[in-house]
Amino acid sequence: MDINDAVTTDYVDVNPGTRLGKIRGLFDGDQNLKAIVVWGESDKFAGIVTRKDLVSSHHDPQEKVQSVVRHPPTVTRDEDVRETARLMVEGQVKMLPVLDDDEVLRGVVNAKDLLAMVQDNLGALDVSDVYTENVMSVAPDTVLGEVIHTIRTHRFTRLPVVDDTDAVGMISLYDLVDFTTRKMNKEQGGNNNATDSFGGEVSKSQQRTHGGRGERSGFQARMTDLPVRDVMSTPCETIPLDVGLDEAFEKMQDHDYSSLVVVPEEFGTPVGIVTITDLLEALTWTGEEERADVQVFGVDLLDVLSREEIADRIDGIDGKYREMDLLEANVRFHKHKERRRETPLVRCTIRLFTDEGLFSGTGEEYGAGPAFKDAAEKVERNVLDEKQRTSPRHQMEQERERTVNLVEWWATTETS
């Protein structure tokens, strides 16, 4: 099935010279807006800027949007639904540009529109098949400082808020940014340069401004000491484990949520979370693959390295330990600002989820190819070390060593 019916021309677009203050204002005005199209020279598609890109780090409101533009994968109207979902998951975006054969932008495809088109087919799987288990949660009285630390450390975008055994709300990265900025503006007492909830400037027609500046002493300490109940979105919606993904998606649509807390009916305690991304990943499953699922994140950093080469290398590592069953592989690329001869420093992290446990390795080199090679060699060494550790010969050597140590201990005891 192709994506033609999910393609829309209903999107927000800007030119590359647009200030980030205005971009933030656009996101602030529409909480459902996930990405904005950016045009380049000669009205050519130049990329997109996402809400997540703006809230993940501080940017000067006067900075131009071209400084944060990302270049997602592109698709055509006849692209397959499964492939489109895979590109969204791996590119970590919820919107993809749709180009024609002449590279002219003809529209965009959004994650929710894509899922709505195949909603009837989603019922083939239940929430239990795709949800993320053992998600960290926080209590309503947890202070914001601790929440911020948890989100930063584990790179979450949202956390369920659980009171005893009841899911009472959800706290997201966007909630924190919105609340913090609004409080900061209020604490300042106003000024002639009004800002939106992302810290971007807005015109006087959008927001009243006045001179003066309020008391700022101890402001940050007071913010981080506030309980999460003051910031969380409430109520949150829950879903049982045995509900079909079609019903889960319908519930997300009805409440305009991108995630649901998973609560089994038999004991009513939250056990995980299911998100729009989980539903997209479910679309990528065909049940026909002979090799394990290999998810690649940060595909825009791949230059000479291809997804096929990554999957082949993972298969090679798996083949070195035949008793091991590879369940899933995650390969993540992250670009640093440092460069050498125009090539960015890239960190690659590989995680292999197997029935023998988790094997991981991280490499940092200039370019995605060398970084992946370094990480793959480390993972392979870890796999081979585990293979040797569990081999019959190694176990016999360990048993022999323990016997020798025991005999030495007996001899020492008898002569003392």
Side-chain angles (χ1 to χ4, degrees):
M1 180 186 299
D2 63 39
I3 65 170
N4 186 61
D5 291 340
V7 177
T8 178
T9 56
D10 183 17
Y11 57 83
V12 177
D13 58 329
V14 297
N15 65 62
T18 305
R19 293 180 299 105
L20 290 186
K22 181 177 180 180
I23 298 296
R24 288 163 176 153
L26 292 172
F27 280 119
D28 193 42
D30 184 357
Q31 293 301 314
N32 292 318
L33 186 62
K34 302 302 181 185
I36 295 174
V37 171
V38 181
W39 294 102
E41 297 179 358
S42 303
D43 292 330
K44 290 287 187 179
F45 171 74
I48 66 173
V49 57
T50 69
R51 180 187 295 269
K52 184 177 180 180
D53 291 332
L54 287 185
V55 302
S56 60
S57 59
H58 175 73
H59 294 280
D60 188 328
Q62 298 299 326
E63 199 174 335
K64 299 297 191 295
V65 68
Q66 59 193 11
S67 64
V68 295
V69 165
R70 69 161 63 190
H71 305 284
T74 61
V75 293
T76 58
R77 285 182 174 272
D78 59 358
E79 184 60 86
D80 181 69
V81 168
R82 294 184 186 278
E83 177 64 11
T84 303
R86 184 187 67 78
L87 292 173
M88 286 183 177
V89 172
E90 294 186 350
Q92 301 181 68
V93 292
K94 299 296 190 299
M95 183 183 82
L96 292 180
V98 180
L99 307 184
D100 62 17
D101 294 337
D102 296 324
E103 299 299 306
V104 176
L105 183 68
R106 296 303 182 188
V108 299
V109 57
N110 294 294
K112 288 190 175 181
D113 291 338
L114 188 71
L115 290 167
M117 191 179 74
V118 296
Q119 183 174 351
D120 291 342
N121 298 326
L122 292 175
L125 294 173
D126 290 343
V127 170
S128 60
D129 296 316
V130 305
Y131 82 109
T132 302
E133 300 180 71
N134 302 320
V135 172
M136 296 185 68
S137 63
V138 293
D141 57 354
T142 303
V143 297
L144 292 187
E146 184 177 338
V147 174
I148 293 170
H149 175 72
T150 300
I151 286 179
R152 179 186 299 144
T153 301
H154 298 279
R155 297 187 178 182
F156 295 147
T157 57
R158 60 179 68 83
L159 291 171
V161 181
V162 179
D163 186 5
D164 193 14
T165 61
D166 297 327
V168 296
M170 188 79 73
I171 178 70
S172 72
L173 174 64
Y174 311 124
D175 294 329
L176 289 169
V177 172
D178 178 64
F179 180 79
T180 302
T181 307
R182 283 189 288 107
K183 286 293 185 181
M184 183 178 293
N185 293 340
K186 182 177 180 180
E187 187 74 14
Q188 287 177 328
N191 56 68
N192 291 327
N193 294 315
T195 62
D196 55 45
S197 64
F198 287 95
E201 294 180 356
V202 298
S203 66
K204 292 184 179 180
S205 63
Q206 293 174 296
Q207 178 174 316
R208 292 188 178 184
T209 64
H210 57 82
R213 189 171 295 274
E215 176 62 44
R216 292 294 305 280
S217 60
F219 170 72
Q220 184 174 0
R222 293 198 302 275
M223 286 290 300
T224 56
D225 286 341
L226 288 174
V228 72
R229 64 165 56 92
D230 290 355
V231 184
M232 68 182 186
S233 299
T234 185
C236 67
E237 289 297 321
T238 62
I239 195 85
L241 280 166
D242 57 356
V243 171
L245 296 188
D246 55 338
E247 293 184 42
F249 177 65
E250 184 175 358
K251 196 165 192 177
M252 290 181 186
Q253 290 285 74
D254 289 346
H255 297 277
D256 200 22
Y257 289 162
S258 59
S259 61
L260 303 171
V261 177
V262 181
V263 181
E265 291 182 333
E266 56 268 27
F267 52 90
T269 301
V271 295
I273 191 172
V274 60
T275 69
I276 286 291
T277 299
D278 293 327
L279 302 190
L280 288 173
E281 287 186 346
L283 284 185
T284 68
W285 300 349
T286 65
E288 300 173 355
E289 292 90 343
E290 293 183 359
R291 60 187 180 189
D293 185 26
V294 179
Q295 297 286 346
V296 183
F297 301 90
V299 290
D300 56 311
L301 298 178
L302 301 184
D303 37 26
V304 297
L305 186 66
S306 68
R307 289 190 75 260
E308 289 72 21
E309 290 173 318
I310 291 174
D312 288 343
R313 183 70 173 96
I314 298 297
D315 270 352
I317 296 173
D318 181 32
K320 298 266 177 93
Y321 190 174
R322 296 191 179 278
E323 291 77 15
M324 180 179 73
D325 185 14
L326 178 61
L327 306 175
E328 182 181 327
N330 289 343
V331 182
R332 294 181 179 271
F333 293 95
H334 174 75
K335 180 176 66 175
H336 296 291
K337 292 184 178 181
E338 182 180 342
R339 288 177 172 270
R340 176 186 292 172
R341 298 192 183 97
E342 301 304 318
T343 301
L345 179 64
V346 175
R347 181 179 70 243
C348 175
T349 301
I350 302 174
R351 292 186 175 89
L352 305 185
F353 299 90
T354 79
D355 60 346
E356 296 291 335
L358 170 66
F359 298 91
S360 63
T362 299
E364 280 195 345
E365 295 288 347
Y366 291 93
F372 173 73
K373 180 181 178 182
D374 187 22
E377 289 175 350
K378 292 177 180 176
V379 172
E380 186 171 79
R381 284 198 297 270
N382 291 337
V383 169
L384 292 176
D385 287 345
E386 177 65 13
K387 178 182 179 181
Q388 181 183 12
R389 188 185 68 80
T390 58
S391 67
R393 180 173 180 177
H394 182 69
Q395 291 176 350
M396 288 176 60
E397 291 175 350
Q398 285 187 317
E399 185 64 31
R400 186 183 301 114
E401 184 177 349
R402 283 194 292 268
T403 302
V404 169
N405 290 338
L406 183 58
V407 170
E408 290 180 349
W409 179 77
W410 280 340
T412 304
T413 304
E414 290 295 328
T415 57
S416 60

